Amino acid sequence: MMLQKLQPSVVISLAQTVSYHRHSHHQIVISLSGQSEFNIDGVTSLIYPGLGCLVMANCDHTFVGVGDNELLVINLPPGFSHNNEMEQRITQLFSHSGYFNLDNQSQQLIQLLAFEIKVNPDDQLLQQACTMTLLCILQRHFKIAHGVNSSQRIDIDIIDNFIQRNINHKISVSQLAAIVFLSESQFYALFKAQTAFTPQRYILQKRLQLAKQLLQESKLTLADIAQICGFAGQSSFSQAFRRLCGISPARYQRQL
């Protein structure tokens, strides 16, 4: 996002119209409230509290607010810090653009810092101090600073939460990989080894699990259920249901 005056850290709201641009500095965006949608290097994802994204310098991206929203934006222009260790951390952090998920402790700390930034928008020294603190929080979260390999296991709860929130939309492997800060190939291999399912099969099972619940507990039409569960249409929903469950959704509903 382009700001009239580049500030180290600022709290903003996005308009509900799609904007597109690129900028010459790295940027961290963290959702504080509401929802917004980003497309970074062709990967689209909703951003809501607990999620954020890294936007590398000169990376094409679009963004749009979804209703009321509030975001913390951290701008890191070249030479942001004269501290060599901090510059090295920034370089490690921005190995690629993508999305990330925050743990509860990190969320709480970031909310407190964002509040200070919001109520003191003209305090440049406070902004710089908060920005440095935020970078250290993210470094701790990603375990990059000390070279700890955090990619050996995937937090499935993070994946499940993302799927649940976005189940009525198309969900790609690249989106899931991004929120746990892995490359797509790393994520695919680790996920399959850990769950014995491909990510696509896992997502499909989650859609069908919700569909069964709706068939059992609601009086919605099959078309409505297909839409809620993220299928392209009733036909694709029925085919997937029959293939994995051995019965059509209509017959499943009658048997109930």
Side-chain angles (χ1 to χ4, degrees):
M1 282 148 287
M2 295 296 292
L3 306 171
Q4 289 183 344
K5 181 180 179 181
L6 190 63
Q7 297 172 287
S9 298
V10 63
V11 176
I12 66 168
S13 296
L14 292 183
Q16 297 181 48
T17 53
V18 178
S19 298
Y20 160 83
H21 70 221
R22 60 194 301 174
H23 37 68
S24 60
H25 61 275
H26 294 323
Q27 191 175 73
I28 302 169
V29 181
I30 300 172
S31 176
L32 301 174
S33 66
Q35 293 186 344
S36 53
E37 184 176 285
F38 279 71
N39 183 295
I40 305 172
D41 278 341
V43 179
T44 301
S45 182
L46 283 175
I47 300 294
Y48 45 81
L51 289 180
C53 59
L54 301 177
V55 184
M56 291 185 68
N58 300 310
C59 172
D60 293 331
H61 56 288
T62 62
F63 48 89
V64 60
V66 182
D68 294 333
N69 65 87
E70 203 167 52
L71 299 166
L72 172 62
V73 178
I74 304 166
N75 295 298
L76 301 168
F80 163 77
S81 172
H82 298 295
N83 183 299
N84 289 335
E85 182 181 352
M86 183 56 71
E87 285 293 328
Q88 185 177 7
R89 291 186 179 193
I90 292 172
T91 300
Q92 291 175 326
L93 187 63
F94 283 90
S95 60
H96 57 82
S97 297
Y99 304 92
F100 58 83
N101 193 91
L102 293 166
D103 57 38
N104 290 332
Q105 183 180 359
S106 296
Q107 288 182 55
Q108 292 170 6
L109 289 170
I110 288 169
Q111 288 282 353
L112 291 172
L113 290 171
F115 176 79
E116 291 298 324
I117 292 168
K118 185 177 180 180
V119 298
N120 299 284
D122 299 321
D123 191 332
Q124 294 293 314
L125 184 60
L126 173 67
Q127 286 187 25
Q128 291 175 359
C130 287
T131 298
M132 297 291 276
T133 304
L134 287 162
L135 284 170
C136 290
I137 290 172
L138 290 175
Q139 287 289 334
R140 175 189 60 78
H141 177 70
F142 297 138
K143 297 182 177 68
I144 293 174
H146 303 291
V148 177
N149 187 349
S150 62
S151 64
Q152 295 308 303
R153 284 193 67 81
I154 295 169
D155 189 335
I156 300 300
D157 288 340
I158 292 175
I159 301 301
D160 286 344
N161 184 53
F162 183 86
I163 294 173
Q164 182 181 357
R165 286 176 176 263
N166 297 277
I167 200 161
N168 61 325
H169 299 288
K170 181 179 179 181
I171 300 173
S172 67
V173 177
S174 57
Q175 284 178 297
L176 297 182
I179 64 170
V180 290
F181 219 68
L182 294 170
S183 69
E184 189 171 338
S185 58
Q186 282 179 312
F187 174 81
Y188 191 96
L190 285 169
F191 188 89
K192 190 171 182 181
Q194 192 170 325
T195 66
F197 294 107
T198 65
Q200 297 94 331
R201 181 63 176 264
Y202 189 84
I203 295 167
L204 179 57
Q205 287 186 324
K206 289 293 183 182
R207 296 191 194 280
L208 292 175
Q209 182 180 344
L210 176 60
K212 285 183 177 181
Q213 181 181 342
L214 293 174
L215 288 168
Q216 187 172 3
E217 299 175 359
S218 73
K219 296 183 179 179
L220 294 170
T221 65
L222 295 182
D224 287 338
I225 292 174
Q227 182 177 9
I228 292 170
C229 296
F231 290 94
Q234 182 177 334
S235 177
S236 61
F237 164 53
S238 296
Q239 289 175 7
F241 196 99
R242 185 181 293 107
R243 187 173 71 253
L244 269 71
C245 303
I247 188 175
S248 71
R251 186 174 179 183
Y252 179 86
Q253 193 173 40
R254 288 196 300 269
Q255 288 183 349
L256 293 174

Short mmCIF file of all heavy atoms in Angstrom, two decimals, residues 90-123:
data_model
loop_
_atom_site.label_atom_id
_atom_site.label_comp_id
_atom_site.label_asym_id
_atom_site.label_seq_id
_atom_site.Cartn_x
_atom_site.Cartn_y
_atom_site.Cartn_z
N ILE A 90 16.05 -8.97 8.65
CA ILE A 90 15.07 -8.54 7.64
C ILE A 90 15.28 -9.30 6.34
O ILE A 90 14.33 -9.76 5.71
CB ILE A 90 15.18 -7.02 7.41
CG1 ILE A 90 14.72 -6.26 8.66
CG2 ILE A 90 14.34 -6.60 6.20
CD1 ILE A 90 14.97 -4.76 8.58
N THR A 91 16.54 -9.48 5.96
CA THR A 91 16.85 -10.23 4.74
C THR A 91 16.36 -11.67 4.85
O THR A 91 15.77 -12.23 3.91
CB THR A 91 18.37 -10.23 4.48
OG1 THR A 91 18.80 -8.87 4.32
CG2 THR A 91 18.70 -11.02 3.22
N GLN A 92 16.57 -12.31 6.01
CA GLN A 92 16.10 -13.68 6.22
C GLN A 92 14.58 -13.74 6.20
O GLN A 92 13.99 -14.65 5.62
CB GLN A 92 16.62 -14.20 7.56
CG GLN A 92 18.11 -14.44 7.60
CD GLN A 92 18.59 -14.85 8.98
OE1 GLN A 92 18.06 -14.40 9.99
NE2 GLN A 92 19.60 -15.69 9.02
N LEU A 93 13.94 -12.77 6.83
CA LEU A 93 12.49 -12.76 6.92
C LEU A 93 11.85 -12.65 5.54
O LEU A 93 10.86 -13.31 5.23
CB LEU A 93 12.04 -11.59 7.79
CG LEU A 93 10.55 -11.49 8.15
CD1 LEU A 93 10.12 -12.69 8.97
CD2 LEU A 93 10.28 -10.20 8.90
N PHE A 94 12.47 -11.85 4.65
CA PHE A 94 11.90 -11.62 3.33
C PHE A 94 12.60 -12.47 2.27
O PHE A 94 12.99 -11.98 1.22
CB PHE A 94 11.98 -10.13 2.98
CG PHE A 94 10.94 -9.30 3.66
CD1 PHE A 94 11.21 -8.74 4.91
CD2 PHE A 94 9.70 -9.10 3.10
CE1 PHE A 94 10.27 -7.98 5.56
CE2 PHE A 94 8.73 -8.35 3.74
CZ PHE A 94 9.01 -7.78 4.98
N SER A 95 12.72 -13.76 2.56
CA SER A 95 13.24 -14.67 1.54
C SER A 95 12.25 -14.84 0.40
O SER A 95 12.62 -15.13 -0.73
CB SER A 95 13.56 -16.03 2.16
OG SER A 95 12.39 -16.61 2.73
N HIS A 96 10.96 -14.65 0.70
CA HIS A 96 9.92 -14.65 -0.34
C HIS A 96 8.67 -14.01 0.24
O HIS A 96 8.52 -13.90 1.45
CB HIS A 96 9.61 -16.08 -0.82
CG HIS A 96 9.19 -17.01 0.28
ND1 HIS A 96 7.90 -17.05 0.78
CD2 HIS A 96 9.89 -17.93 0.99
CE1 HIS A 96 7.82 -17.96 1.74
NE2 HIS A 96 9.02 -18.51 1.89
N SER A 97 7.79 -13.55 -0.65
CA SER A 97 6.50 -13.02 -0.22
C SER A 97 5.60 -14.17 0.18
O SER A 97 5.80 -15.31 -0.23
CB SER A 97 5.85 -12.21 -1.34
OG SER A 97 6.62 -11.08 -1.69
N GLY A 98 4.59 -13.88 0.99
CA GLY A 98 3.64 -14.93 1.36
C GLY A 98 2.85 -14.56 2.59
O GLY A 98 2.98 -13.47 3.15
N TYR A 99 2.01 -15.47 3.01
CA TYR A 99 1.12 -15.27 4.14
C TYR A 99 1.63 -16.05 5.35
O TYR A 99 2.36 -17.02 5.21
CB TYR A 99 -0.29 -15.74 3.78
CG TYR A 99 -0.84 -15.05 2.54
CD1 TYR A 99 -0.67 -15.63 1.28
CD2 TYR A 99 -1.49 -13.83 2.62
CE1 TYR A 99 -1.14 -14.99 0.14
CE2 TYR A 99 -1.97 -13.19 1.49
CZ TYR A 99 -1.80 -13.78 0.24
OH TYR A 99 -2.27 -13.15 -0.88
N PHE A 100 1.23 -15.60 6.53
CA PHE A 100 1.65 -16.30 7.74
C PHE A 100 0.56 -16.23 8.79
O PHE A 100 -0.33 -15.38 8.76
CB PHE A 100 2.96 -15.72 8.29
CG PHE A 100 2.91 -14.25 8.62
CD1 PHE A 100 2.42 -13.80 9.83
CD2 PHE A 100 3.39 -13.31 7.71
CE1 PHE A 100 2.37 -12.45 10.14
CE2 PHE A 100 3.36 -11.96 8.01
CZ PHE A 100 2.84 -11.52 9.23
N ASN A 101 0.63 -17.17 9.72
CA ASN A 101 -0.31 -17.26 10.83
C ASN A 101 0.45 -16.96 12.12
O ASN A 101 1.59 -17.37 12.30
CB ASN A 101 -0.90 -18.69 10.89
CG ASN A 101 -2.09 -18.77 11.81
OD1 ASN A 101 -3.23 -18.60 11.41
ND2 ASN A 101 -1.82 -19.05 13.07
N LEU A 102 -0.18 -16.23 13.04
CA LEU A 102 0.45 -15.85 14.29
C LEU A 102 -0.11 -16.64 15.46
O LEU A 102 -1.31 -16.92 15.51
CB LEU A 102 0.24 -14.36 14.55
CG LEU A 102 0.95 -13.40 13.60
CD1 LEU A 102 0.39 -11.99 13.77
CD2 LEU A 102 2.45 -13.40 13.85
N ASP A 103 0.75 -16.99 16.41
CA ASP A 103 0.27 -17.65 17.62
C ASP A 103 -0.39 -16.61 18.53
O ASP A 103 -0.29 -15.40 18.32
CB ASP A 103 1.39 -18.39 18.34
CG ASP A 103 2.56 -17.49 18.70
OD1 ASP A 103 2.33 -16.33 19.08
OD2 ASP A 103 3.72 -17.94 18.62
N ASN A 104 -1.09 -17.09 19.57
CA ASN A 104 -1.85 -16.19 20.44
C ASN A 104 -0.97 -15.17 21.15
O ASN A 104 -1.34 -13.99 21.29
CB ASN A 104 -2.64 -17.00 21.47
CG ASN A 104 -3.78 -17.78 20.85
OD1 ASN A 104 -4.32 -17.37 19.82
ND2 ASN A 104 -4.16 -18.89 21.45
N GLN A 105 0.19 -15.59 21.60
CA GLN A 105 1.08 -14.68 22.30
C GLN A 105 1.55 -13.55 21.39
O GLN A 105 1.55 -12.38 21.79
CB GLN A 105 2.29 -15.43 22.87
CG GLN A 105 3.23 -14.54 23.68
CD GLN A 105 4.42 -15.31 24.24
OE1 GLN A 105 4.54 -16.51 24.03
NE2 GLN A 105 5.30 -14.61 24.93
N SER A 106 1.91 -13.90 20.17
CA SER A 106 2.34 -12.87 19.21
C SER A 106 1.20 -11.91 18.90
O SER A 106 1.40 -10.69 18.81
CB SER A 106 2.83 -13.53 17.92
OG SER A 106 3.97 -14.32 18.15
N GLN A 107 -0.02 -12.44 18.75
CA GLN A 107 -1.18 -11.60 18.46
C GLN A 107 -1.40 -10.59 19.57
O GLN A 107 -1.67 -9.41 19.31
CB GLN A 107 -2.42 -12.47 18.30
CG GLN A 107 -2.46 -13.29 17.02
CD GLN A 107 -3.75 -14.08 16.91
OE1 GLN A 107 -4.84 -13.52 16.98
NE2 GLN A 107 -3.65 -15.38 16.75
N GLN A 108 -1.31 -11.03 20.82
CA GLN A 108 -1.54 -10.14 21.95
C GLN A 108 -0.52 -9.02 22.00
O GLN A 108 -0.86 -7.84 22.20
CB GLN A 108 -1.53 -10.94 23.25
CG GLN A 108 -2.70 -11.89 23.40
CD GLN A 108 -2.53 -12.84 24.57
OE1 GLN A 108 -1.59 -12.73 25.36
NE2 GLN A 108 -3.46 -13.78 24.71
N LEU A 109 0.76 -9.36 21.79
CA LEU A 109 1.81 -8.35 21.80
C LEU A 109 1.63 -7.35 20.67
O LEU A 109 1.78 -6.14 20.85
CB LEU A 109 3.17 -9.03 21.69
CG LEU A 109 3.65 -9.81 22.92
CD1 LEU A 109 4.90 -10.62 22.58
CD2 LEU A 109 3.93 -8.88 24.08
N ILE A 110 1.27 -7.85 19.49
CA ILE A 110 1.09 -6.99 18.33
C ILE A 110 -0.10 -6.06 18.52
O ILE A 110 -0.05 -4.88 18.15
CB ILE A 110 0.95 -7.84 17.05
CG1 ILE A 110 2.32 -8.45 16.70
CG2 ILE A 110 0.42 -7.01 15.88
CD1 ILE A 110 2.27 -9.50 15.62
N GLN A 111 -1.18 -6.56 19.11
CA GLN A 111 -2.35 -5.70 19.37
C GLN A 111 -1.99 -4.55 20.30
O GLN A 111 -2.42 -3.41 20.09
CB GLN A 111 -3.48 -6.54 19.98
CG GLN A 111 -4.17 -7.50 19.03
CD GLN A 111 -5.16 -6.80 18.10
OE1 GLN A 111 -5.45 -5.62 18.23
NE2 GLN A 111 -5.69 -7.55 17.13
N LEU A 112 -1.18 -4.82 21.32
CA LEU A 112 -0.76 -3.77 22.25
C LEU A 112 0.10 -2.72 21.55
O LEU A 112 -0.08 -1.52 21.73
CB LEU A 112 0.00 -4.39 23.43
CG LEU A 112 -0.82 -5.24 24.39
CD1 LEU A 112 0.08 -5.95 25.39
CD2 LEU A 112 -1.84 -4.37 25.15
N LEU A 113 1.06 -3.17 20.75
CA LEU A 113 1.92 -2.25 20.02
C LEU A 113 1.12 -1.43 19.00
O LEU A 113 1.35 -0.23 18.84
CB LEU A 113 3.03 -3.02 19.32
CG LEU A 113 4.10 -3.64 20.23
CD1 LEU A 113 5.01 -4.56 19.43
CD2 LEU A 113 4.92 -2.56 20.91
N ALA A 114 0.19 -2.09 18.32
CA ALA A 114 -0.63 -1.39 17.32
C ALA A 114 -1.47 -0.30 17.98
O ALA A 114 -1.67 0.78 17.41
CB ALA A 114 -1.53 -2.39 16.60
N PHE A 115 -1.95 -0.56 19.19
CA PHE A 115 -2.73 0.45 19.91
C PHE A 115 -1.88 1.68 20.19
O PHE A 115 -2.33 2.83 20.00
CB PHE A 115 -3.27 -0.13 21.22
CG PHE A 115 -4.00 0.87 22.07
CD1 PHE A 115 -5.31 1.23 21.78
CD2 PHE A 115 -3.37 1.47 23.16
CE1 PHE A 115 -5.98 2.16 22.56
CE2 PHE A 115 -4.03 2.39 23.95
CZ PHE A 115 -5.34 2.75 23.64
N GLU A 116 -0.64 1.47 20.63
CA GLU A 116 0.26 2.59 20.91
C GLU A 116 0.54 3.38 19.63
O GLU A 116 0.57 4.63 19.64
CB GLU A 116 1.57 2.08 21.51
CG GLU A 116 1.44 1.50 22.91
CD GLU A 116 0.95 2.53 23.92
OE1 GLU A 116 1.35 3.71 23.81
OE2 GLU A 116 0.16 2.16 24.81
N ILE A 117 0.73 2.69 18.53
CA ILE A 117 0.99 3.36 17.25
C ILE A 117 -0.23 4.17 16.82
O ILE A 117 -0.11 5.30 16.33
CB ILE A 117 1.36 2.32 16.18
CG1 ILE A 117 2.73 1.69 16.50
CG2 ILE A 117 1.38 2.94 14.78
CD1 ILE A 117 3.04 0.46 15.69
N LYS A 118 -1.41 3.61 17.01
CA LYS A 118 -2.65 4.27 16.57
C LYS A 118 -2.93 5.54 17.35
O LYS A 118 -3.35 6.55 16.78
CB LYS A 118 -3.83 3.29 16.69
CG LYS A 118 -5.14 3.83 16.16
CD LYS A 118 -6.23 2.79 16.24
CE LYS A 118 -7.55 3.33 15.71
NZ LYS A 118 -8.63 2.31 15.79
N VAL A 119 -2.72 5.51 18.66
CA VAL A 119 -3.06 6.68 19.48
C VAL A 119 -1.94 7.72 19.50
O VAL A 119 -2.13 8.83 20.00
CB VAL A 119 -3.42 6.26 20.93
CG1 VAL A 119 -4.64 5.36 20.93
CG2 VAL A 119 -2.24 5.60 21.62
N ASN A 120 -0.77 7.35 18.94
CA ASN A 120 0.35 8.30 18.88
C ASN A 120 0.91 8.34 17.45
O ASN A 120 2.07 8.00 17.21
CB ASN A 120 1.45 7.90 19.86
CG ASN A 120 0.98 7.88 21.30
OD1 ASN A 120 0.82 8.93 21.91
ND2 ASN A 120 0.76 6.69 21.83
N PRO A 121 0.08 8.75 16.48
CA PRO A 121 0.49 8.64 15.06
C PRO A 121 1.65 9.55 14.67
O PRO A 121 2.30 9.30 13.65
CB PRO A 121 -0.79 9.03 14.31
CG PRO A 121 -1.53 9.91 15.26
CD PRO A 121 -1.25 9.35 16.62
N ASP A 122 1.94 10.58 15.45
CA ASP A 122 3.00 11.52 15.09
C ASP A 122 4.29 11.29 15.86
O ASP A 122 5.26 12.05 15.68
CB ASP A 122 2.52 12.96 15.34
CG ASP A 122 1.30 13.31 14.49
OD1 ASP A 122 1.26 12.88 13.32
OD2 ASP A 122 0.39 13.99 15.01
N ASP A 123 4.31 10.29 16.69
CA ASP A 123 5.50 10.01 17.49
C ASP A 123 6.43 9.09 16.68
O ASP A 123 6.30 7.86 16.70
CB ASP A 123 5.10 9.36 18.82
CG ASP A 123 6.26 9.29 19.80
OD1 ASP A 123 7.41 9.21 19.34
OD2 ASP A 123 6.01 9.27 21.02
#
